Amino acid sequence: MKGIFSALLVPFDDQGRIKEQGLREVIRNNIDVQQVDGLYVNGSSGENFMLTTDQKKKIFEITHEETNGAVKLIAQVGSINLDEAVELGKYATELGYDSLSAVTPFYYKFTFDEIKNYYETIIEATGNNMIIYAIPALTGVSMSLEQFDVLFQNEKVIGVKYTDGNFFMLERLRKKYPNKLIYSGFDEMLIYGAVSGVDGAIGSTYNIHGNLAKQIFEMVQQGEVASAYEVQHVMNDIIEKVLELGLYQTLKEILNVKGIDAGTVKQPMSSFDPAKREAVEKLVRDFNL
Ligand code: SI3
């Protein structure tokens, strides 16, 4: 369960339907070209929170079938509809996903006891392992070290996908929990996570440059931090441009330019602006993506 995981992008058509063949192409690119160690399925990058339960199941199913055991699979099943989270957790567990993950419940100001109950309910109903998905910038849920302590008491909580820039907290978690899996969540900060001793990283941009992320991660593990930093500079030149042009739209357009059918994003996100196509083609050329 260690290494670089792409947070899987999901191709949609103009009507918001999943492009099944395109999804298979995106998966194959991740495995065969980017050579990532695993896929994080139905996360933010999968536009999960805009999908129906059936669409989420279909994505779990296609991904499991296409990967056929080649890489590790984490199923993000979190939902503020706990019944849905349980249903998806059971579905992914039966398919054979290596672990579940669930975003902290958001929108309402849930108490910590409610958050704890949410995780325990999914774990008890599925019997599967759980990776907490902490992303305070989007959920508004910022857990304290003491709250992580409580959740980590459950041995089925095997780790955390830590999408935060609080490296003091990351260091504290690493020191206190050497045996829990910690995944770095912000691709542009991968090197800081790597020197903090994370077990892996999960990110959207690894769909287009997972190979660079692997280099950073491996260089740091071999003590070649200065070289890793050079690669992070390159990765961040790409990410900076992607963020400027529009995150998921641009990642998909890069894949489209390369001949991988990544489709478009799901409304209410707005589709890629064709006026930006030339900038994307230049990005692909300049960085040999
Ligand atoms: O699917 C997912 O849950 C993610 O990709 C989460 C991951 O932390 C990404 N965050 C978001 C909100 O997309 C990052 O990979 C992020 O896209 C990247 O660092 C660019 O900012």
Side-chain angles (χ1 to χ4, degrees):
M1 294 295 286
K2 299 188 176 190
I4 300 297
F5 283 63
S6 282
L8 186 65
L9 294 169
V10 177
F12 296 100
D13 68 14
D14 291 338
Q15 307 299 312
R17 291 173 297 218
I18 300 163
K19 299 188 90 175
E20 293 193 17
Q21 183 50 34
L23 178 55
R24 290 180 192 279
E25 290 175 25
V26 173
I27 293 167
R28 288 254 61 88
N29 178 63
N30 271 303
I31 298 173
D32 302 336
V33 181
Q34 305 307 330
Q35 303 201 315
V36 297
D37 302 292
L39 295 175
Y40 188 80
V41 186
N42 282 337
S44 314
S45 308
E47 299 168 54
N48 171 75
F49 304 105
M50 297 178 282
L51 304 185
T52 66
T53 309
D54 282 347
Q55 285 180 311
K56 295 175 191 181
K57 286 183 175 175
K58 192 79 198 154
I59 294 162
F60 283 141
E61 187 193 314
I62 293 171
T63 307
H64 184 261
E65 188 186 278
E66 188 62 39
T67 51
N68 195 23
V71 293
K72 295 286 182 192
L73 293 179
I74 302 173
Q76 197 297 120
V77 300
S79 166
I80 62 166
N81 176 350
L82 184 51
D83 293 334
E84 187 197 34
V86 166
E87 184 181 336
L88 292 169
K90 285 182 177 167
Y91 190 78
T93 301
E94 277 162 24
L95 282 172
Y97 273 67
D98 296 290
S99 178
L100 303 180
S101 177
V103 70
T104 51
F106 53 91
Y107 188 75
Y108 300 105
K109 299 283 173 217
F110 296 103
T111 64
F112 178 66
D113 279 347
E114 289 165 338
I115 294 173
K116 180 170 172 277
N117 176 62
Y118 163 91
Y119 283 111
E120 284 172 355
T121 303
I122 303 171
I123 290 167
E124 270 167 35
T126 62
N128 205 342
N129 289 331
M130 172 61 65
I131 295 164
I132 295 161
Y133 179 7
I135 181 162
L138 291 187
T139 58
V141 179
S142 195
M143 284 193 295
S144 64
L145 190 60
E146 292 70 28
Q147 290 173 334
F148 276 110
D149 278 342
V150 173
L151 296 180
F152 279 167
Q153 295 312 311
N154 186 329
E155 61 175 29
K156 288 276 186 189
V157 177
I158 59 169
V160 58
K161 166 169 157 29
Y162 185 82
T163 306
D164 197 358
N166 181 346
F167 291 98
F168 177 38
M169 168 84 86
L170 180 59
E171 181 275 332
R172 293 288 83 188
L173 284 171
R174 180 70 299 167
K175 175 159 188 282
K176 194 154 188 199
Y177 294 101
N179 297 323
K180 297 285 184 188
L181 292 166
I182 303 181
Y183 299 94
S184 169
F186 276 126
D187 315 1
E188 50 276 52
M189 303 180 198
L190 171 60
I191 189 163
Y192 308 110
V195 294
S196 304
V198 295
D199 300 285
I202 298 170
S204 63
T205 68
Y206 306 152
N207 286 271
I208 61 156
H209 57 202
N211 51 349
L212 295 182
K214 282 193 73 119
Q215 279 178 34
I216 292 173
F217 200 60
E218 283 161 14
M219 283 170 172
V220 169
Q221 285 178 334
Q222 285 156 16
E224 298 164 12
V225 177
S227 306
Y229 204 63
E230 291 305 314
V231 183
Q232 183 80 61
H233 281 320
V234 174
M235 212 164 88
N236 285 0
D237 286 344
I238 301 167
I239 293 174
E240 187 177 42
K241 195 72 193 165
V242 166
L243 291 174
E244 181 193 315
L245 295 170
L247 179 59
Y248 304 130
Q249 292 90 337
T250 305
L251 292 176
K252 287 182 172 180
E253 202 56 21
I254 288 170
L255 294 174
N256 286 328
V257 165
K258 284 160 52 84
I260 296 157
D261 184 4
T264 185
V265 292
K266 190 146 190 326
Q267 282 187 357
M269 283 187 187
S270 47
S271 56
F272 184 78
D273 176 0
K276 296 175 178 170
R277 172 91 179 186
E278 234 174 79
V280 169
E281 285 169 350
K282 181 168 172 3
L283 195 60
V284 170
R285 265 197 321 274
D286 289 353
F287 291 93
N288 199 20
L289 291 171

